[in-house]
Structure formats: structure tokens, C-alpha cells
Amino acid sequence: MSTFEFHLNLNLIFYSLKETVASISRTTMMSITRPLQVICFHRERDYGYKSTFVEIKNPVIPKSFVGFAIDNARKELFQKRYGQKKDPYENKSRKEQMDVRKRRTELKKLKLDNKKIWYREQNSEDGVCAPRLMMSVYYMICGALDIVYKDKPIDRFWFLETVARMPYFSYVTMLQLYETLGWWEIDGPLKTMHTDEEINETKHLRIMESLGGDILWWNRFLAIHGALAYFMVLIVFFVVSPRLAYLSSELLERHAVYTYTEFYESNETILKGLQPTREMLDYDPYCESMYEIFTYIAMDELAHARSMRYVRKLPNS
């Protein structure tokens, strides 16, 4: 095994460890007694939002692009209020509605101070050095996010997690192209690592959806189109220089670290009083509160940033 493969496999062990623990936990819970399953069920809390989930009961394939586009346009245009998803808790009983309202009231108390995020970044001893042009674009985009998502931390997190999946999609796409051309090893450790990172970001995204991060139409519009634009930019970066692509990803992941850390530290009391959603328990079956979840997400983002830094410093093949 080469030094390159050895270090990448260390990263793979880190990312797969949490998945292994979660898998063992789910398998164990299926084999234990019914009372314990009921206890675990009662740990789950519904905040009136649902993450995107498509249940496939029979073998199917996707529709055509045009078919999906028409269905999505119809869905967006004929919702109860244009610009917002139909509220999923409207069909619940009166008591359930009251419980959901109380939980949502607590969610609305969560705050995020943009100035403190910038203070963390400027005083970090582990900052990212990037070309001036890239840093200028980075500051411009982050400044725009501060304005658009002022007092909307969950919406901001959903936007960030939607965009954060794009680097790993683009890297795997390019590596598969190089495999096809015979320029790169098939299913090498680098592609496996990026796939695991994308799966991890997807779990973060579903958590934010379970808190209503995607409820607003304009946020979905910004996130989807921003993600597609970023995907194309990263493809160009990877073609020109993979190191440039990894550098941009490191910037994004570092910003996520500062943002999540500021969020869970400044909202510690509230988060410790909020019980996890089903998606949070899928992510970590042992969590007791949202505080733990946001702490773990910040740790994940830090691991991603460090892996991007390590990979971009590797020699070319």
C-alpha cells in the first residue's frame, strides 16, 4: 500500500466509524424488546417539518428531465401560498398542533451573530490562504449570506448543506471521467472518501429539513441554483487544477465550522432543551439533545476541511 492510500484510508476509517456505530445500533435495536423500542420512539420529537424522502416500494427509474420539471413547477405554483411549502402539521390533531407550535416557538429563539462568526474566522490560528481573487469572491458571497439570512440560522444551514454536497459530486464526476479515459485507478480511495463525505453532508441536509430549513420557496430557489452554479465552477476548477477546487472546498468547510461553532455555543441553553428529530436520531442514535447534534456537525465540517487541506497538498500522480 502506498503512502497516499494509507493516509486516505485513515480518513475513510474516520468517516465510516460513525456510520458503523449507527448501523450496529439500528441492528441491535431491531433485535431487542418492544418496550425499549417504544422508549426510543418517545425520544423523537416532531417540529412539524419533514425531510425529503421518496419511498420506493417497487423497482422504478426516474422520470425524464422534462417530466420532473413540469411536476415540480406545478407543485410550486399550486401550493397553498406561493413561496412556501404546505405546512405539514395542518393535518394533525389540535393537541399535536399545539405541541408543534410550542416546539417551533423554541426554534425561533435560536440566533446567529454574523459579527461573531467573522471574529472567529479572523482570529483563527488555522485559517486558509487563498489567492486574492478567490478570497474576494468568498467574502462577497459570505457577506450576501449574512444579509439574506439575518435571524434565519436554520434556513442558512439548509442553504449551506445543499451547496456543501456539490464539491463531492463534482470530484466523483471528474474521477469517474478519468477512470473511463484510463487516466485514474478504478474505485480508488480518493473517490471512496469523497462519496462518504457526500453521504455525511446529506445527513446534515436532512436534519436541517426536519427543522424547516427548506420551507421557503426563495430559499429553495437560491440553494438549488447556487448549488448548480457551484458544481459547474468546481468542474472547471478540477479540470484546470484539482488543488484549486480543493482549496475552494476548504474555504467553504472552514466557514461552516465557524458558523456551526458560533451557533451551538451561543444557543447552548436552548439547544440542550430541544429533543432530537427522527433525522437526528438516524444520524446519531445516542444523542439526547440538539446541542449534541450541532456539536457533531461542526466536528464533521472540521474533518472535511482538514481532509481537503491534506488532499490538496498531495503530489500529482
Side-chain angles (χ1 to χ4, degrees):
M1 178 184 294
S2 66
T3 303
F4 168 71
E5 291 181 332
F6 174 75
H7 286 289
L8 280 181
N9 283 332
L10 288 179
N11 280 297
L12 290 177
I13 292 172
F14 178 85
Y15 289 116
S16 64
L17 181 59
K18 183 180 292 184
E19 301 305 314
T20 303
V21 171
S23 177
I24 294 173
S25 174
R26 285 192 291 269
T27 302
T28 303
M29 288 176 65
M30 290 176 63
S31 63
I32 59 179
T33 61
R34 178 67 179 173
L36 185 54
Q37 292 179 351
V38 173
I39 291 174
C40 293
F41 173 77
H42 284 299
R43 291 176 55 210
E44 173 190 318
R45 288 296 178 266
D46 185 3
Y47 291 80
Y49 305 110
K50 301 298 179 184
S51 64
T52 302
F53 179 73
V54 179
E55 184 177 4
I56 301 177
K57 297 181 179 179
N58 300 304
V60 296
I61 60 174
K63 301 177 185 177
S64 68
F65 180 89
V66 174
F68 271 126
I70 293 174
D71 287 348
N72 186 69
R74 186 183 296 113
K75 180 181 67 176
E76 294 285 4
L77 289 172
F78 293 99
Q79 287 171 352
K80 182 178 178 182
R81 286 178 291 177
Y82 182 74
Q84 184 165 343
K85 281 186 175 180
K86 183 178 180 181
D87 206 323
Y89 88 98
E90 290 181 343
N91 296 324
K92 295 181 179 295
S93 67
R94 184 174 180 81
K95 183 182 183 302
E96 289 174 326
Q97 289 185 22
M98 293 298 295
D99 290 340
V100 167
R101 288 195 184 101
K102 289 179 181 178
R103 294 175 192 137
R104 287 186 179 183
T105 299
E106 292 300 306
L107 286 179
K108 290 179 180 179
K109 295 179 182 178
L110 298 171
K111 302 296 181 182
L112 184 62
D113 192 324
N114 296 323
K115 292 182 180 179
K116 291 183 178 180
I117 297 174
W118 285 112
Y119 179 82
R120 286 178 181 275
E121 182 163 353
Q122 292 167 0
N123 290 275
S124 173
E125 298 180 355
D126 196 21
V128 182
C129 295
R132 182 173 299 178
L133 178 59
M134 181 179 288
M135 291 302 299
S136 298
V137 175
Y138 167 74
Y139 287 136
M140 181 179 66
I141 294 174
C142 290
L145 293 179
D146 290 346
I147 296 172
V148 173
Y149 294 103
K150 181 177 174 58
D151 298 325
K152 296 181 177 67
I154 302 301
D155 302 81
R156 177 173 182 153
F157 293 148
W158 185 80
F159 175 92
L160 289 175
E161 295 298 346
T162 301
V163 174
R165 300 171 69 201
M166 294 304 106
Y168 311 117
F169 281 149
S170 64
Y171 303 156
V172 170
T173 297
M174 291 304 302
L175 291 173
Q176 287 176 333
L177 173 62
Y178 291 166
E179 289 176 10
T180 303
L181 295 173
W183 298 351
W184 195 255
E185 61 180 326
I186 296 177
D187 282 337
L190 186 60
K191 190 173 78 171
T192 303
M193 185 182 76
H194 292 328
T195 300
D196 289 343
E197 289 167 333
E198 187 278 321
I199 292 172
N200 180 259
E201 296 288 9
T202 300
K203 292 187 176 183
H204 297 174
L205 181 64
R206 293 195 61 184
I207 288 172
M208 300 313 155
E209 287 182 345
S210 73
L211 298 177
D214 65 331
I215 197 72
L216 297 174
W217 180 87
W218 63 263
N219 195 26
R220 298 197 298 277
F221 182 89
L222 287 178
I224 292 170
H225 291 82
L228 291 175
Y230 189 40
F231 176 84
M232 298 307 298
V233 169
L234 286 168
I235 290 292
V236 174
F237 279 176
F238 206 95
V239 169
V240 175
S241 171
R243 287 194 176 88
L244 197 60
Y246 287 129
L247 180 60
S248 69
S249 296
E250 186 182 352
L251 274 173
L252 176 65
E253 298 291 1
R254 284 286 175 184
H255 178 73
V257 173
Y258 303 133
T259 304
Y260 279 119
T261 303
E262 173 58 34
F263 179 75
Y264 75 73
E265 288 187 358
S266 60
N267 295 283
E268 179 177 355
T269 302
I270 299 175
L271 290 172
K272 285 184 175 180
L274 294 173
Q275 291 183 284
T277 62
R278 177 182 300 177
E279 289 75 12
M280 293 178 182
L281 292 173
D282 288 341
Y283 171 72
D284 180 8
Y286 304 106
C287 71
E288 297 292 337
S289 69
M290 287 193 190
Y291 179 80
E292 295 177 48
I293 291 297
F294 280 96
T295 302
Y296 297 153
I297 291 176
M299 292 171 61
D300 286 342
E301 304 297 358
L302 180 60
H304 295 170
R306 287 177 173 172
S307 70
M308 293 299 100
R309 175 172 293 185
Y310 171 76
V311 171
R312 72 179 173 87
K313 290 183 177 181
L314 291 172
N316 293 113
S317 58

